[in-house]
Amino acid sequence: MGLKVELAQIRPKLGDVKYNLEKHQEIISSSSADCIIFPELSLTGYILRDLVYEVYNESEKAIEKLSEENKCIVAGLVKEIRPGILRNTAAIIINHQINYIYKFYLPTYGLFEERRYFQPGDPKRDLKIFEYKGVKFGVIICEDAWHYEPIEALALLGADSIFIPAASPMRRLSTRLGIQDNWEALLKAHSIINGIWTIFVNNVGSQEEEFFWGGSMVVSPNGEVINRAKLFEEDIIITEINLDEVRKNRFFSSFREHNRDFHDVLRSL
Amino acid sequence: MPEYVRKKLTLDFGQVTDYIVRRIREYIEESKKEGGIIGLSGGIDSSVTTILLSRATNNFYILLMPTSSTPQKDIEDAMKIIKIVNGENKYSYINIDEIINEFSSIVNTSDKIVIGNIKARVRMTLLYAFAQKMNYLVIGTGDKSEIMLGYFTKYGDGGVDVLPIGDLYKTQVRMLGNYLGVPEEIVKKPPSPALWEGQTAEGEIGLDYETIDSILYLKFEEMREPEEIAEMTKTSYDKVIKIINMVKTSQHKRLPPEIFRLSGRAINSDWRYPRQWG
């Protein structure tokens, strides 16, 4: 018996929280899964620019609305954590209880301007593990998966599964889609090294010049992509994740070994 | 073109087509317009873009706007494309010589560059007039090579609502043209704005597009040094520098006009709302 997770690969309307909330509610109310995961900033859209100041408040209220649902839900919003201080946030709703996690690494290259708008999360305070139907999971947002530490820390704190809401824009479409290959490689590595399920849920559709490519996927602790959503279109996929795969991977890997001295080196860099 | 660059520029054109067609369709929808209008010259860029537009929507309209400097062959080629997209009832043929003569006499000039740019801007004006009448968008045909070089007329062929193939180099547009079944003679025709008789892009710039694209790609995407690029493309260092300088000196053509800042929150510099605002 495992946890049924639903990857809701949606196309949010930029800045239209009302429309996005309705879309969330519709998906949640017709879902047979235990846990429904939406992409990064799913309630607001990603490329908000200065529009962020007009929608953060509404997106926080939308989360309260979603908490009326009796499920496990992960949805993206902009949260004002102190007056005028905004964070790129994922809300984790479990049995009406709302928890928040924040993005640690805010990208500033290429199109990304997150530092202009958001304050990063603080690893010392903001790393959290959740549990639903016996499965312990952590949530990190998009760019955080491009670094080792956030997922490593969560796995060592006890997570058996990592949910990754993302807004990954189309890049390097040549004979294959380069950015898709990159994500796949990253997720496989995280899964294998930590013996965890990694679940990537991407946005889809256009926002400004950018186009989010979808392609959400579930990677097993063994490093296999066991389910994938469509490219370039809205899609919903349900996958059952279990702890047996976690166990099997960890029996035959050295995840149990952790040499803290490496972190001392990293700390002193 | 060095094999290395050709490989890098060769895409999965099936997927590229799906992507661009989808985005044209969505862009028209999001702009709350009913279709798209396009100026078709019979060159590779406008031929490819017309085919893509016709796949995105049935609501497309084509303007042919020749002048006396337009080669007859271009008009014939444009008609072939109209046939390919079943656009026989969806185009207008407007000879703009008279309008141009009127403009030129008011400005009192016979300078071919001034008149050439007037031609491009008259076409833009006509496209927008038709677009507004029909509630359509103006679909631009510029490619990445032209946009980077600044090889377009500001508020002429540069005055459009959207640039579907603006991230494809000329060489890639040709490959896409082949994929889409554009007649070979159009694919192989030397690109020309035809703003005056005998004008070709490659003649004016002094390099063929395969080389230009290689230089643009190696410099601006791989950030290689000019010396290395000259060696890789078997081109003189001076020519490489010339291309790089064309990109630099035309930057103003790719940006909205500068607004001199006075307030605490000036448009553009400190005012970054997305297009889809409100």
Side-chain angles (χ1 to χ4, degrees), chain A residues 6-165:
Chain A
E6 175 164 331
L7 286 66
Q9 176 174 300
I10 60 164
R11 175 191 182 124
K13 266 197 193 161
L14 193 56
D16 193 342
V17 176
K18 186 170 171 283
Y19 169 92
N20 297 329
L21 172 62
E22 279 165 17
K23 180 161 248 178
H24 282 62
Q25 287 169 321
E26 218 178 279
I27 291 171
I28 293 163
S29 65
S30 62
S31 172
S32 63
D34 301 310
C35 227
I36 302 146
I37 309 157
F38 291 91
E40 177 177 13
L41 293 176
S42 59
L43 284 162
T44 60
Y46 180 77
I47 306 187
L48 291 165
R49 303 207 167 122
D50 291 11
L51 207 50
V52 76
Y53 308 122
E54 297 182 15
V55 301
Y56 71 90
N57 204 0
E58 224 183 320
S59 76
E60 289 193 50
K61 289 194 184 120
I63 287 296
E64 281 162 31
K65 274 254 165 267
L66 287 184
S67 72
E68 292 167 9
E69 312 276 346
N70 194 17
K71 293 243 177 191
C72 156
I73 300 160
V74 178
L77 74 153
V78 177
K79 185 158 170 53
E80 186 187 40
I81 64 153
R82 291 173 52 200
I85 307 293
L86 306 178
R87 287 188 180 178
N88 182 341
T89 303
I92 293 89
I93 301 167
I94 295 176
N95 298 331
H96 312 298
Q97 190 87 37
I98 309 173
N99 258 288
Y100 297 102
I101 66 107
Y102 312 107
K103 195 168 181 177
F104 298 110
Y105 287 96
L106 302 179
T108 55
Y109 53 87
L111 79 137
F112 301 107
E113 300 180 318
E114 288 195 35
R115 276 271 183 171
R116 178 180 160 92
Y117 302 103
F118 301 129
Q119 182 195 52
D122 175 356
K124 288 185 184 154
R125 277 189 289 199
D126 300 329
L127 280 167
K128 284 179 204 159
I129 303 285
F130 307 94
E131 185 169 349
Y132 194 67
K133 298 202 168 166
V135 173
K136 289 188 175 145
F137 66 91
V139 179
I140 58 151
I141 303 172
C142 202
E143 187 76 14
D144 290 340
W146 288 71
H147 298 262
Y148 305 102
E149 297 85 358
I151 291 179
E152 185 184 22
L154 288 170
L156 291 169
L157 284 168
D160 301 311
S161 181
I162 303 285
F163 302 160
I164 310 170

Side-chain angles (χ1 to χ4, degrees), chain A residues 170-186:
Chain A
M170 172 116 150
R171 286 290 178 275
R172 287 171 285 109
L173 171 61
S174 75
T175 46
R176 291 180 51 79
L177 180 55
I179 187 70
Q180 183 187 17
D181 289 347
N182 290 162
W183 267 103
E184 209 172 304
L186 280 172

Side-chain angles (χ1 to χ4, degrees), chain B residues 36-43 46-47 50 53 60-66 70 74-75 78-79 82 85 87 89-96 99 121-134 136-139 141:
Chain B
I37 185 157
I38 190 166
L40 176 60
S41 70
S46 61
S47 295
T50 299
L53 172 63
F60 62 90
Y61 200 77
I62 297 166
L63 294 190
L64 305 187
M65 296 172 284
T70 306
D74 281 0
I75 297 168
M79 293 312 297
I82 286 174
V85 300
N89 301 317
K90 295 180 182 174
Y91 81 98
S92 290
Y93 181 99
I94 308 161
N95 184 300
I96 58 171
I99 309 175
R121 294 189 176 112
V122 163
R123 290 180 177 131
M124 185 272 289
T125 306
L126 285 168
L127 283 165
Y128 270 97
F130 273 78
Q132 194 163 19
K133 192 176 84 175
M134 305 175 83
Y136 280 11
L137 280 177
V138 176
I139 308 298
T141 61

Side-chain angles (χ1 to χ4, degrees), chain A residues 11 14 47-51 53-54 113 116-117 170 173-175 177 206-211 231-233, chain B residues 7-8 10-13 15-16 18-19 22-23 26-27 30 265 269-278:
Chain A
R11 175 191 182 124
L14 193 56
I47 306 187
L48 291 165
R49 303 207 167 122
D50 291 11
L51 207 50
Y53 308 122
E54 297 182 15
E113 300 180 318
R116 178 180 160 92
Y117 302 103
M170 172 116 150
L173 171 61
S174 75
T175 46
L177 180 55
S206 57
Q207 292 176 29
E208 296 296 281
E209 291 84 359
E210 300 300 335
F211 189 88
L231 279 181
F232 312 142
E233 283 175 42
Chain B
K7 244 187 165 162
K8 293 277 185 182
T10 302
L11 312 178
D12 175 341
F13 287 102
Q15 206 158 59
V16 168
D18 289 348
Y19 170 69
R22 176 190 297 268
R23 293 216 58 180
E26 287 175 353
Y27 197 82
E30 281 165 12
R265 199 155 182 230
S269 52
D270 192 29
W271 177 279
R272 298 196 198 170
Y273 287 91
R275 227 174 298 261
Q276 292 140 300
W277 183 15

